[in-house]
Amino acid sequence: MLLLRRFLDAHPVDKLTGQQLWTMVCVERITNKFYGDNEEQMNFARQQILSYLAEFLGWPQDECPDCYRHWKSSTKNHLEVLGEANVAMLLEHMRKLGGIWPPIVENALPEQKCSL
């Protein structure tokens, strides 16, 4: 993650066009788990991300009514899958990455402010 962060920091814009080269999208911010099953907030966040990406990529259309129709939310219990010792190790690793990852996107939407 440190290498990726250094690369992104070193290449924020296209040297020929001056346009931003990269952006962040936080998948956690478009899942129903994040919104406590508040479908209105979740749908708003999803539309925000789609509109932002359409603008960023220069797409002519920024709406997609059926984009999430077949989206299946994860039902995994990460503690059961990984085990307590591995989750503790990951949390410690995440803590050490504070300030390194995730990179900050200027003028970011709330949906782009990722947790680790």
Side-chain angles (χ1 to χ4, degrees):
M1 295 233 183
L2 181 58
L3 291 174
L4 181 56
R5 174 63 191 263
R6 286 182 179 166
F7 176 82
L8 293 175
D9 286 346
H11 301 89
V13 296
D14 184 314
K15 291 179 181 177
L16 295 175
T17 66
Q19 297 215 347
Q20 184 179 352
L21 280 176
W22 59 269
T23 191
M24 295 285 294
V25 174
C26 304
V27 175
E28 70 184 15
R29 295 285 190 130
I30 56 175
T31 64
N32 64 347
K33 191 181 269 187
F34 186 83
Y35 293 97
D37 296 321
N38 183 325
E39 197 167 328
E40 185 177 339
Q41 283 184 334
M42 178 186 63
N43 289 334
F44 178 77
R46 288 176 175 181
Q47 182 55 51
Q48 288 279 95
I49 289 294
L50 285 174
S51 295
Y52 172 80
L53 285 175
E55 182 180 334
F56 180 78
L57 296 170
W59 293 346
Q61 183 174 346
D62 70 346
E63 292 185 20
C64 182
D66 293 326
C67 283
Y68 296 99
R69 171 180 260 166
H70 300 290
W71 185 293
K72 302 246 188 278
S73 295
S74 174
T75 58
K76 290 179 192 165
N77 180 329
H78 295 90
L79 192 58
E80 286 180 13
V81 173
L82 298 172
E84 280 189 48
N86 289 326
V87 169
M89 178 186 64
L90 285 172
L91 291 173
E92 176 63 18
H93 185 68
M94 288 169 57
R95 187 187 63 73
K96 288 179 180 177
L97 286 174
I100 297 171
W101 192 265
I104 305 297
V105 176
E106 287 187 35
N107 303 318
L109 299 169
E111 293 82 12
Q112 291 176 280
K113 294 179 181 167
C114 305
S115 63
L116 197 55

